[in-house]
């Protein structure tokens, strides 16, 4: 209707995109040009641009991910520099620590060092995502890796989430970057928790599959 309204004030209009639903299913997008003949009739011609629009959408997604990767790489690089400074000072404190240090002081320093180590792994994952650092895949025992993060997941998910595991004794090693796999498991678990409104049961299992 809008196109024909415009034709009242112009003899020709172009680039009118219309969504067409064929009988066989699958919506298609066509772009049309219309013109009005001297005797008052309307004529038009259109062409299917569905594939072109899909390719343009894919290109925009690639460009978006590239921009995100560049931003992520810059942030990760700066964060890595900060971690290096923090680690250097913590290691100096560790060397200066004497036998009179209390158990609480020793535990606090050890926790800080572990936090820096975790931050370094996260930074490496971000740099890998931004393609500024290559992934380092190797043969990984998936069951061992999963078992190591179960305690972390239990604290992260909260007491209202019942966490279960069913790890196959025959699970094959996986050729994967262990940090990436660990982050993927944690993200999946957190997303599952968020999908459960009040309480629920989260089961992590491993088994061999041939695709």
């Amino acid at each position: 209707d809008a196109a024909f309204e415009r034709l009242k004030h112009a003899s020709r209009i172009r680039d009118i995109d219309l969504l067409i639903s064929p009988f066989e299913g699958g919506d298609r997008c066509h772009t049309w040009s219309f013109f009005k003949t001297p005797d008052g009739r309307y004529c038009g011609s259109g062409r299917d641009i569905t594939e072109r629009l899909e390719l343009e959408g894919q290109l925009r997604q690639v460009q978006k991910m590239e921009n995100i990767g560049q931003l992520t790489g810059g942030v990760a690089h700066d964060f890595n520099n900060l971690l290096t400074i923090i680690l250097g000072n913590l290691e100096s404190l560790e060397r200066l620590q004497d036998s009179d240090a209390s158990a609480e002081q020793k535990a606090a320093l050890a926790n800080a060092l572990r936090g820096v180590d975790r931050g370094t792994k996260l930074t490496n994952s971000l740099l890998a995502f931004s393609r500024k650092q290559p992934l380092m895949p190797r043969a990984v025992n998936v069951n061992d890796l999963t078992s190591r993060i179960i305690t972390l997941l239990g604290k992260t998910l909260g007491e209202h989430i019942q966490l279960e595991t069913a790890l196959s004794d025959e699970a094959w090693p996986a050729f994967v970057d262990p940090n990436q796999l660990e982050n993927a498991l944690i993200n999946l678990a957190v997303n599952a928790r968020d999908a459960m409104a009040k309480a629920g049961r989260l089961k992590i299992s491993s088994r061999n599959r041939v695709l």
Side-chain angles (χ1 to χ4, degrees), residues 4-183:
F4 288 114
E5 186 65 27
R6 289 170 56 187
L7 272 175
K8 293 180 180 179
H9 309 286
S11 60
R12 181 186 297 270
I13 56 175
R14 301 176 181 273
D15 301 326
I16 304 298
D17 294 341
L18 299 175
L19 190 64
I20 298 177
S21 300
F23 288 112
E24 61 272 15
D27 293 341
R28 309 289 296 182
C29 188
H30 290 69
T31 185
W32 290 81
S33 296
F34 295 99
F35 66 93
K36 184 167 55 177
T37 63
D39 58 2
R41 292 182 299 167
Y42 297 101
C43 295
S45 62
R47 68 180 186 277
D48 191 331
I49 59 170
T50 305
E51 283 77 14
R52 190 194 76 187
L53 293 178
E54 291 175 351
L55 289 174
E56 290 176 351
Q58 293 174 8
L59 177 60
R60 285 193 296 270
Q61 183 66 19
V62 169
Q63 292 172 337
K64 176 182 177 181
M65 294 304 297
E66 183 66 27
N67 292 335
I68 292 175
Q70 292 176 358
L71 176 62
T72 301
V75 173
H77 180 73
D78 292 340
F79 186 52
N80 193 54
N81 290 339
L82 292 175
L83 285 175
T84 301
I85 296 173
I86 295 172
L87 178 61
N89 284 276
L90 289 175
E91 289 177 340
S92 296
L93 286 174
E94 188 178 36
R95 287 192 296 269
L96 294 173
Q97 196 176 53
D98 54 32
S99 58
D100 294 332
S102 65
E104 290 79 7
Q105 291 174 330
K106 293 179 180 179
L109 182 57
N111 287 334
L113 288 169
R114 282 195 293 270
V116 171
D117 180 65
R118 179 65 182 168
T120 301
K121 291 180 179 179
L122 175 60
T123 303
N124 290 338
S125 298
L126 292 174
L127 289 172
F129 172 78
S130 67
R131 302 193 184 116
K132 292 190 176 183
Q133 176 172 312
L135 296 175
M136 299 180 66
R138 57 183 176 84
V140 174
N141 187 312
V142 177
N143 290 349
D144 288 348
L145 183 145
T146 303
S147 298
R148 285 198 302 270
I149 66 171
I150 289 299
T151 303
L152 173 63
L153 284 178
K155 296 178 180 179
T156 302
L157 300 179
E159 296 180 353
H160 64 293
I161 301 297
Q162 181 183 354
L163 184 60
E164 297 181 3
T165 58
L167 306 179
S168 171
D169 294 334
E170 300 178 354
W172 300 322
F175 188 68
V176 65
D177 185 299
N179 291 331
Q180 290 290 299
L181 180 56
E182 180 178 329
N183 289 335

